[in-house]
Amino acid sequence: MRTILPAIFLLRSVLPAQSPADSRPEFEVASIKPDTRTAGSWVRFLPGGRLDASSWIKQLVQIAWGVEDYQVVGGPGWITTQWYDIEAKAPDPTAGENQMLPMLQSLLADRFQLKLRREEREFSVMALVTDKNGPKLIPLRDTEQSKCDRDNSYACGIRTTADLARHLRFFVGHPVFDETGITGRYDILLDFDVYTISGRTPPADYIKPSLATALRDQLGLRLEPKNVKLPVYVIESIERPSGN
C-alpha cells in the first residue's frame, strides 16, 4: 500500500500530457463526492487496484502529473479550498500506483473537464550541496530511529538529504534540490534561527545560528542558488464535477 500525504512531495519523471480520449487508461468505476473538511487530506493507492483520496484538486493534479505545487498554476480558487472524496477501482486488480496515475489524469479530465497546457519556466532554486570540508552526518542503523534529542530542533527525524532538501524549501522560499550525492539514512538534526529567516523579531534570550551557519557547522552542508527550467502545468479550464 502506498500513501501520499500532503507533507510529502515526490518528484517523479513527469508523465506525458493528456492523451487522446480513446487511448487514455481509465478507472473501471469512480465515485466523487464533495467534502466539507479543510485539513487531513490523503491520496492512497491500495491493493486491489483501488484509489482512495480525500483532497483538494490542485494536489490531485500534482500527484497525477508528478510535480510540485509551484509547478501547477492557474485555475479558480476552489481548486485549493474544496475537498473531494474519491473512490475508484482499476480494471486490473493488480494495478499499482504507476498504472493508476494515468487513470487519475483521465478521471480529472473526464469528471472535472480539466484542460492543461504544459510549458517550461525558469525558477530560482537552491541546491543542497556538501561543504568544502565534507559532510558531518551521523549514520543510522537499519532498525535505529532518529534520536530527536536536541531541544528546539527545526529538522528532527529527517533521515535522508533528499528529505532535508524538501524540508528546507519552507524556510528559504525557493525549491531546494538535493545535489549532495549522499545516499543512506542519517540522524539529521538542524537547529537554527527561524525567527529572523521568517522576518519576525526573536525573543530577547533567543540565540540561534543562521540557517547557513547551522547547515555548515552542524551538518557540513550548504545551499547554492541557481536558475533551472522546470515543467509547469497551466490550468486552462476546469469545472466542478457532475454528480455520480
Side-chain angles (χ1 to χ4, degrees):
M1 179 183 74
R2 179 70 176 273
T3 301
I4 298 178
L5 299 175
I8 304 174
F9 296 97
L10 304 177
L11 285 175
R12 304 185 187 89
S13 297
V14 176
L15 296 170
Q18 292 150 311
S19 305
D22 58 359
S23 64
R24 292 197 311 253
E26 297 181 344
F27 287 110
E28 185 176 59
V29 292
S31 169
I32 302 175
K33 298 178 181 178
D35 195 320
T36 57
R37 78 178 66 216
T38 57
S41 69
W42 64 81
V43 178
R44 300 183 181 120
F45 298 95
L46 302 172
R50 295 179 296 123
L51 169 72
D52 174 44
S54 182
S55 181
W56 60 99
I57 298 307
K58 184 176 179 179
Q59 186 187 36
L60 292 173
V61 174
Q62 292 169 229
I63 292 170
W65 274 268
V67 293
E68 300 280 2
D69 61 334
Y70 58 85
Q71 292 172 275
V72 179
V73 299
W78 61 265
I79 66 172
T80 59
T81 59
Q82 173 64 65
W83 258 242
Y84 286 92
D85 293 337
I86 299 175
E87 294 181 359
K89 185 177 182 298
D92 181 358
T94 66
E97 178 183 341
N98 288 339
Q99 290 73 43
M100 285 190 277
L101 286 172
M103 298 179 194
L104 179 56
Q105 291 186 15
S106 297
L107 183 145
L108 291 168
D110 295 339
R111 300 292 293 275
F112 290 87
Q113 301 301 303
L114 173 66
K115 293 183 180 179
L116 296 175
R117 182 180 75 254
R118 185 185 187 276
E119 58 186 50
E120 284 197 344
R121 295 185 182 180
E122 190 169 89
F123 288 86
S124 296
V125 305
M126 292 288 187
L128 182 66
V129 300
T130 57
D131 189 52
K132 61 181 180 180
N133 296 320
K136 304 175 182 179
L137 300 175
I138 303 172
L140 283 177
R141 293 188 296 272
D142 288 343
T143 59
E144 187 179 9
Q145 301 298 315
S146 176
K147 297 178 181 64
C148 286
D149 56 2
R150 183 181 300 172
D151 292 339
N152 300 321
S153 176
Y154 289 95
C156 188
I158 293 175
R159 300 171 188 169
T160 68
T161 53
D163 286 342
L164 176 62
R166 284 190 286 269
H167 178 77
L168 291 176
R169 171 191 161 196
F170 299 102
F171 295 99
V172 301
H174 294 279
V176 180
F177 293 91
D178 178 21
E179 295 186 4
T180 62
I182 297 172
T183 59
R185 299 168 67 251
Y186 299 89
D187 189 16
I188 297 178
L189 300 170
L190 183 65
D191 196 16
F192 61 94
D193 179 359
V194 296
Y195 281 89
T196 302
I197 204 169
S198 62
R200 296 178 293 163
T201 302
D205 58 349
Y206 185 87
I207 302 176
K208 300 284 185 180
S210 68
L211 175 58
T213 300
L215 278 169
R216 182 194 66 207
D217 294 348
Q218 298 170 22
L219 301 180
L221 304 175
R222 59 189 173 86
L223 292 171
E224 285 186 348
K226 61 189 301 184
N227 292 327
V228 298
K229 285 189 175 181
L230 298 172
V232 168
Y233 284 90
V234 181
I235 297 178
E236 294 189 322
S237 62
I238 189 171
E239 299 177 8
R240 296 181 190 270
S242 57
N244 293 318

